[in-house]
């Protein structure tokens, strides 16, 4: 085999590869190396570096980052969002995909409808969600609370006899904020997962289901004992990419809360890891940002390794 | 369990809504499968044999007609209540489960009063595994088994719930030639041991002939002939059945009946009484030829193929429908290689006359 693949003129292959390698070196490899470098230079700042200042090597950036109250809150937000949204969106996507796969009527139309969020800009979706959960009034959280008008979600709640909830506005609670974020992120994550899982479902041999039917297998048992195990490699893929995406959550917060990353009275309350890095960069603290980026990287690495370890036992290839 | 098919019909609607091309896969099937026998549904691909099997299993609903298991009308009964064991062509073993889990699977589905304890389930699964001789492979995954072993697991899984009827869809088509021989004997043995009414589908006539108690020959959704394999072979009802059974296939000639004799070109190969003069199609089994210097049938010799036990003579005759005539004779009586012409006389029991138009058999008195 080796002879077949090996070229007689290897330099030719390098020439073909060079544009891609060149761009990768500049835009991927060097930034990664530079991130590590900046992270280990004490209090590194691009501005000061341009002014000719030199920095000592050390782990001061990491120490500073870990001491930051803001960083810990960002870490907490990221973890909460990840742990809630990945399982919920995966299970929902699985159920929807199985349902979509089992119906014949309007299947293609429904598939398209379920896929629409994927082609919609997430900031735009965020603004629509913000409008849906919105509440306009004043004195929120005080006995003299005045609600002038409420978004469609609160309208619905009141229609069914509930009371309006202050989801995202001035004075809203952390739990309400997280609930909105979870609903929004799950909704945003569904289409891609449904698409991938549906593709997987359609590649399962129909004879397994015929065999199960002849043997009188219940629907629940077919789902848990046949569909899920046969789909497990794809479920693992969806979960792993879901966690990686979840740890990089940022735009969704901006989409709902805008640049303040929290309700008006508590700006930055819902900030995430990526948000923290972004803020550090914009305040010209590249060293701190790089250290946070490396911490985020190592968290994603560890979680992915755990995922792979778990899937080794659970996934049937 | 006796299976009765009454006017069973399956029509598949056309895929395209504009054209109204319905496909009649099975047309008015009407026969009884006797209790405890091994029955082969035989026919070329697309003849509706698998559709018939799936209708018996309940996976497909008949468009018309009824199916009875004994005296139970099962036509509207869902598959799981019929008590059928089905072995798929590709076995459809669950790849993520071990052999044991695969065999246990149907038992774990049982509910209510049929529910078994864990020990009973294990016992039944081991009994089934022993029957098909795979009890030493119970902890393997299907991917770690050979084709023949997978086939046995599939049969064990079908048998473990003690079905009233065992159905096999092309059970041997995925096996190599040697394994096929072995497995078909195995199927025959298992059927005899369990005495379960067994229906299997095949396009291989040799397979069907060798193990079936009864074969049902089908073509384009219509039954052509039902009977014991030897009877069907010895006395085909029409040209299709005669052509479909037998390897090498039957030799077909255009001929005519004239004044009480059957002619192939100008050679009178057989006397017949009481037949009107007419054009006929003549079928002669390869083993029906006797090399005979004074025989009536003249052919040009093309080749002599020695196959050990016997010799196959390939010759040519203008009246033959096939390009060559293949006849099988004893190895000791082979002709000289140099000769150009061969003469045959024909065994009366191996020659069949068919109507030119309807291709139905014209019965000849001995």
């Amino acid at each position: 085999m080796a002879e077949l693949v090996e070229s007689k003129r290897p330099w030719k292959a390098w020439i073909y590869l060079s544009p891609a390698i060149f761009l990768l070196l500049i835009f991927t490899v060097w930034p990664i190396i530079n991130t590590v470098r900046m992270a280990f230079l004490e209090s590194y700042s691009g501005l000061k570096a341009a002014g000719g200042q030199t920095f000592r090597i050390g782990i001061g950036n990491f120490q500073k980052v870990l001491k930051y109250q803001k960083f810990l809150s960002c870490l907490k937000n990221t973890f909460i969002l990840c742990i809630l949204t990945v399982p919920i969106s995966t299970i929902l996507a699985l159920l929807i995909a199985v349902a979509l796969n089992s119906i014949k009527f309007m299947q293609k139309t429904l598939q398209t409808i379920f896929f629409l969020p994927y082609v919609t800009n997430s900031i735009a979706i965020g603004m629509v969600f913000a409008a849906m959960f919105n509440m306009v009034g004043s004195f929120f959280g005080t006995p003299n609370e005045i609600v002038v008008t409420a978004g469609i979600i609160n309208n619905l709640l009141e229609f069914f006899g509930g009371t309006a909830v202050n989801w995202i506005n001035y004075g809203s609670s952390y739990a309400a904020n997280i609930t909105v974020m979870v609903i929004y992120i799950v909704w945003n994550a569904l289409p891609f997962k449904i698409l991938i899982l549906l593709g997987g479902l359609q590649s399962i041999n129909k004879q397994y289901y015929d065999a199960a039917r002849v043997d009188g297998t219940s629907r629940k048992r077919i789902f848990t004992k046949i569909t899920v195990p046969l789909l497990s490699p794809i479920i693992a893929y969806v979960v792993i990419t879901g966690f990686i995406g979840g740890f990089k959550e940022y735009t969704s917060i901006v989409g709902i809360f805008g640049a303040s990353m929290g309700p008006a009275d508590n700006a930055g309350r819902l900030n995430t890891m990526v948000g923290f890095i972004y803020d550090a960069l914009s305040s010209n603290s590249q060293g701190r940002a790089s250290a946070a980026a490396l911490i985020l990287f190592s968290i994603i690495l560890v979680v992915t390794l755990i995922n792979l370890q778990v899937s080794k036992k659970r996934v049937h290839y | 369990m006796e299976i009765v098919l009454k006017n069973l019909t399956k029509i598949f609607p056309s895929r395209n809504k504009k054209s109204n091309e319905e496909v009649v896969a099975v047309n008015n099937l009407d026969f009884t499968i006797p209790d405890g026998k091994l029955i082969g549904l035989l026919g070329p691909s697309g003849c509706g044999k698998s559709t018939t099997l799936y209708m018996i299993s309940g996976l497909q609903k008949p468009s018309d007609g009824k199916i009875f298991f004994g005296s139970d009308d099962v036509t509207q009964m869902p598959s799981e209540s019929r008590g059928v064991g089905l072995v798929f062509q590709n076995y459809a073993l669950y790849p993520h489960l071990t052999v044991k889990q695969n065999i246990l699977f149907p038992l774990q589905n049982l509910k209510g009063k049929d529910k078994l304890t864990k020990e009973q389930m294990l016992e039944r699964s081991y009994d089934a595994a022993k029957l098909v001789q795979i009890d030493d492979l119970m902890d393997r995954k299907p991917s770690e088994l050979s084709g023949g072993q997978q086939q046995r697991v599939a049969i064990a899984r079908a048998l473990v719930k003690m079905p009233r009827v065992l159905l096999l869809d092309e059970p041997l088509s995925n096996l190599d030639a040697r394994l096929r021989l072995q497995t078909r004997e195995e199927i025959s043995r298992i059927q005899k041991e369990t005495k379960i009414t067994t229906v299997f589908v095949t396009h291989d006539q040799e397979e069907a002939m060798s193990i079936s108690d009864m074969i049902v020959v089908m073509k384009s959704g219509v039954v052509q002939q039902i009977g014991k394999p030897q009877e069907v072979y010895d006395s085909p009802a029409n040209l299709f059945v005669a052509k479909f059974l037998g390897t090498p296939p039957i030799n077909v000639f255009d001929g005519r009946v004239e004044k009480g004799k059957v002619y192939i070109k100008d050679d009178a190969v057989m006397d017949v009484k009481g037949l009107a003069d007419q054009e006929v199609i003549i079928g002669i089994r390869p083993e029906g030829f006797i090399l005979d210097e004074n025989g009536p049938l003249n052919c040009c010799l093309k080749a002599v193929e020695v196959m050990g036990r016997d010799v196959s003579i390939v010759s040519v005759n203008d009246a033959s429908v096939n390009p060559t005539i293949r006849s099988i004779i004893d190895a000791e009586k082979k002709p000289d290689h140099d000769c150009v012409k061969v003469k045959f006389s024909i065994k009366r029991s191996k020659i069949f006359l068919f109507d030119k138009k309807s291709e139905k058999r014209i019965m000849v008195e001995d």
Side-chain angles (χ1 to χ4, degrees):
Chain A
M1 267 315 273
E3 286 105 286
L4 282 175
V5 179
E6 233 168 84
S7 165
K8 278 176 192 154
R9 288 187 281 282
W11 52 268
K12 226 175 170 180
W14 284 110
I15 290 177
Y16 287 133
L17 287 170
S18 58
I21 289 178
F22 185 67
L23 291 172
L24 279 173
L25 282 175
I26 292 182
F27 291 109
T28 308
V29 179
W30 169 242
I32 291 174
I33 295 169
N34 201 23
T35 305
V36 177
R37 186 182 75 95
M38 290 189 293
F40 287 100
L41 289 175
E42 299 271 356
S43 309
Y44 179 90
S45 158
L47 215 56
K48 289 177 190 162
Q53 194 176 326
T54 51
F55 305 92
R56 273 187 306 117
I57 292 172
I59 52 166
N61 286 327
F62 291 92
Q63 284 169 335
K64 247 187 253 167
V65 164
L66 290 175
K67 267 188 215 145
Y68 250 112
Q69 197 54 48
K70 259 207 264 171
F71 177 79
L72 295 180
S73 126
C74 289
L75 198 63
K76 184 186 78 179
N77 288 335
T78 308
F79 263 100
I80 289 177
L81 288 179
C82 252
I83 282 162
L84 289 175
T85 58
V86 173
I88 294 175
S89 64
T90 307
I91 290 168
L92 269 182
L94 187 60
L95 295 175
I96 292 172
V98 169
L100 272 178
N101 195 38
S102 65
I103 54 166
K104 290 204 177 69
F105 177 70
M106 303 255 289
Q107 194 191 34
K108 287 275 178 283
T109 318
L110 285 169
Q111 272 179 27
T112 312
I113 292 172
F114 275 101
F115 194 62
L116 271 181
Y118 192 70
V119 292
T120 314
N121 181 293
S122 50
I123 297 289
I125 300 173
M127 289 166 81
V128 173
F129 265 72
M132 282 163 63
F133 285 96
N134 202 6
M135 198 182 226
V136 179
S138 50
F139 307 117
F140 289 128
T142 67
N144 312 326
E145 190 174 280
I146 305 162
V147 176
V148 180
T149 147
I152 192 165
I153 300 292
N154 277 333
N155 289 337
L156 280 175
L157 276 179
E158 283 175 340
F159 181 80
F160 288 109
T163 48
V165 176
N166 185 358
W167 294 105
I168 53 171
N169 297 85
Y170 186 93
S172 56
S173 70
Y174 181 70
N177 295 164
I178 286 289
T179 310
V180 174
M181 285 321 302
V182 166
I183 294 173
Y184 167 71
I185 293 170
V186 166
W187 192 76
N188 208 5
L190 276 180
F192 178 70
K193 291 187 168 138
I194 292 173
L195 183 81
I196 300 283
L197 290 171
L198 200 57
L201 279 175
Q202 282 166 353
S203 67
I204 296 179
N205 191 340
K206 297 274 175 295
Q207 283 205 335
Y208 294 131
Y209 294 106
D210 281 345
R213 234 174 90 197
V214 173
D215 292 338
T217 319
S218 64
R219 280 172 146 244
K220 193 178 141 222
R221 206 166 129 78
I222 288 179
F223 180 74
T224 55
K225 296 283 166 178
I226 298 176
T227 304
V228 171
L230 289 177
L231 212 55
S232 56
I234 291 160
I235 295 174
Y237 169 78
V238 163
V239 168
I240 290 172
T241 54
F243 268 110
I244 293 174
F247 278 111
K248 297 196 293 187
E249 204 57 70
Y250 175 62
T251 36
S252 53
I253 321 279
V254 177
I256 299 235
F257 291 98
S260 68
M261 304 299 279
D265 59 326
N266 207 335
R269 181 162 80 184
L270 288 165
N271 206 352
T272 59
M273 302 273 286
V274 173
F276 179 87
I277 296 168
Y278 187 82
D279 291 345
L281 278 178
S282 59
S283 64
N284 245 311
S285 315
Q286 282 88 350
R288 204 167 72 209
S290 301
L294 286 186
I295 292 171
L296 177 60
F297 167 73
S298 43
I299 291 172
I300 293 180
L301 186 70
V302 168
V303 170
T304 305
L305 286 177
I306 293 172
N307 271 328
L308 287 175
Q309 206 56 40
V310 171
S311 62
K312 243 184 214 165
K313 283 184 198 143
R314 295 263 163 214
V315 172
H316 310 276
Y317 287 101
Chain B
M1 186 63 53
E2 185 184 68
I3 306 172
V4 183
L5 307 182
K6 276 224 162 82
N7 306 96
L8 199 63
T9 301
K10 177 73 187 179
I11 299 168
F12 287 110
S14 64
R15 212 170 267 178
N16 194 333
K17 271 182 192 164
K18 281 168 199 160
S19 73
N20 265 325
E21 288 170 46
E22 289 178 332
V23 178
V24 183
V26 173
N27 195 350
N28 219 359
L29 236 54
D30 208 71
F31 60 87
T32 301
I33 294 167
D35 182 29
K37 297 280 185 209
L38 181 60
I39 273 62
L41 286 180
L42 177 64
S45 38
C47 73
K49 54 193 190 300
S50 284
T51 309
T52 309
L53 193 82
Y54 284 125
M55 283 196 283
I56 298 175
S57 79
L59 285 178
Q60 283 185 352
K61 287 246 170 309
S63 311
D64 202 6
K66 287 202 178 306
I67 302 168
F68 294 90
F69 285 1
S71 53
D72 297 0
D73 181 353
V74 297
T75 318
Q76 296 304 325
M77 204 184 264
S79 194
E80 64 266 24
S81 342
R82 291 191 185 191
V84 293
L86 180 57
V87 177
F88 289 87
Q89 188 171 359
N90 309 318
Y91 318 137
L93 296 176
Y94 306 122
H96 55 286
L97 302 180
T98 63
V99 169
K100 191 198 289 172
Q101 289 167 326
N102 262 289
I103 300 175
L104 280 172
F105 199 89
L107 296 179
Q108 288 160 343
N109 288 331
L110 297 174
K111 273 188 227 113
K113 63 179 170 56
D114 301 326
K115 212 171 157 76
L116 301 172
T117 64
K118 274 214 169 110
E119 291 74 37
Q120 285 172 314
M121 284 192 211
L122 268 180
E123 200 188 318
R124 288 256 297 261
S125 68
Y126 269 95
D127 285 347
K130 268 187 203 122
L131 183 70
V132 298
Q133 296 166 353
I134 46 151
D135 45 321
D136 50 338
L137 305 172
M138 291 297 257
D139 293 318
R140 296 229 199 138
K141 290 270 178 74
S143 57
E144 297 161 344
L145 301 178
S146 70
Q149 288 167 334
Q150 289 183 23
Q151 167 76 282
R152 286 156 192 251
V153 177
I155 294 177
R157 186 177 67 181
L159 285 175
V160 75
K161 52 181 181 176
M162 300 184 177
R164 299 197 279 181
V165 172
L166 179 63
L167 306 169
L168 305 144
D169 186 13
E170 300 266 5
L172 308 175
S173 61
N174 284 350
L175 305 176
D176 64 52
R178 248 191 64 203
L179 211 52
R180 204 174 295 173
L181 271 176
Q182 203 183 325
T183 310
R184 80 185 189 203
E185 283 158 19
E186 195 76 343
I187 291 174
S188 170
R189 175 186 69 80
I190 293 164
Q191 195 273 331
K192 286 202 174 74
E193 269 178 47
T194 55
K195 296 192 177 63
I196 293 176
T197 311
T198 304
V199 183
F200 79 102
V201 156
T202 178
H203 60 266
D204 182 343
Q205 49 94 17
E206 203 186 317
E207 200 174 295
M209 303 256 300
S210 57
I211 58 170
S212 312
D213 295 315
M214 192 174 108
I215 56 172
V216 177
V217 185
M218 293 178 70
K219 180 198 167 192
S220 319
V222 180
V223 169
Q224 304 292 310
Q225 193 170 359
I226 300 173
K228 288 187 180 147
Q230 196 61 46
E231 284 172 12
V232 176
Y233 182 80
D234 287 339
S235 181
N238 58 37
L239 184 61
F240 173 81
V241 176
K243 277 190 189 165
F244 199 74
L245 297 185
T247 38
I250 196 165
N251 299 290
V252 184
F253 299 88
D254 285 321
R256 62 187 190 281
V257 177
E258 215 174 276
K259 292 171 189 157
K261 283 185 191 298
V262 177
Y263 286 92
I264 293 174
K265 283 206 307 186
D266 298 327
D267 304 333
V269 291
M270 186 168 94
D271 295 330
V272 283
K273 276 181 226 156
L275 274 190
D277 290 2
Q278 58 185 305
E279 300 267 301
V280 289
I281 298 169
I282 300 161
I284 306 173
R285 291 269 181 224
E287 67 273 23
F289 294 85
I290 303 165
L291 207 59
D292 179 359
E293 273 176 41
N294 305 315
L297 182 62
N298 289 292
C299 298
C300 290
L301 183 69
K302 280 280 264 227
V304 178
E305 290 168 7
V306 182
M307 298 186 299
R309 189 160 37 91
D310 41 35
V311 170
S312 164
I313 299 178
V314 183
S315 56
V316 190
N317 185 306
D318 290 344
S320 171
V321 174
N322 312 335
T324 57
I325 304 161
R326 212 165 248 284
S327 42
I328 295 176
I329 58 163
D330 276 352
E332 290 144 26
K333 295 175 187 158
K334 67 176 175 191
D336 296 331
H337 274 280
D338 308 332
C339 74
V340 186
K341 297 253 172 205
V342 278
K343 288 192 153 207
F344 296 109
S345 58
I346 310 295
K347 288 180 194 159
R348 205 178 162 83
S349 61
K350 295 291 179 186
I351 180 165
F352 311 116
L353 303 186
F354 301 99
D355 186 84
K356 184 98 182 165
K357 269 209 193 100
S358 68
E359 300 193 342
K360 285 222 172 78
R361 175 93 179 272
I362 303 170
M363 296 309 281
V364 179
E365 291 166 38
D366 283 325

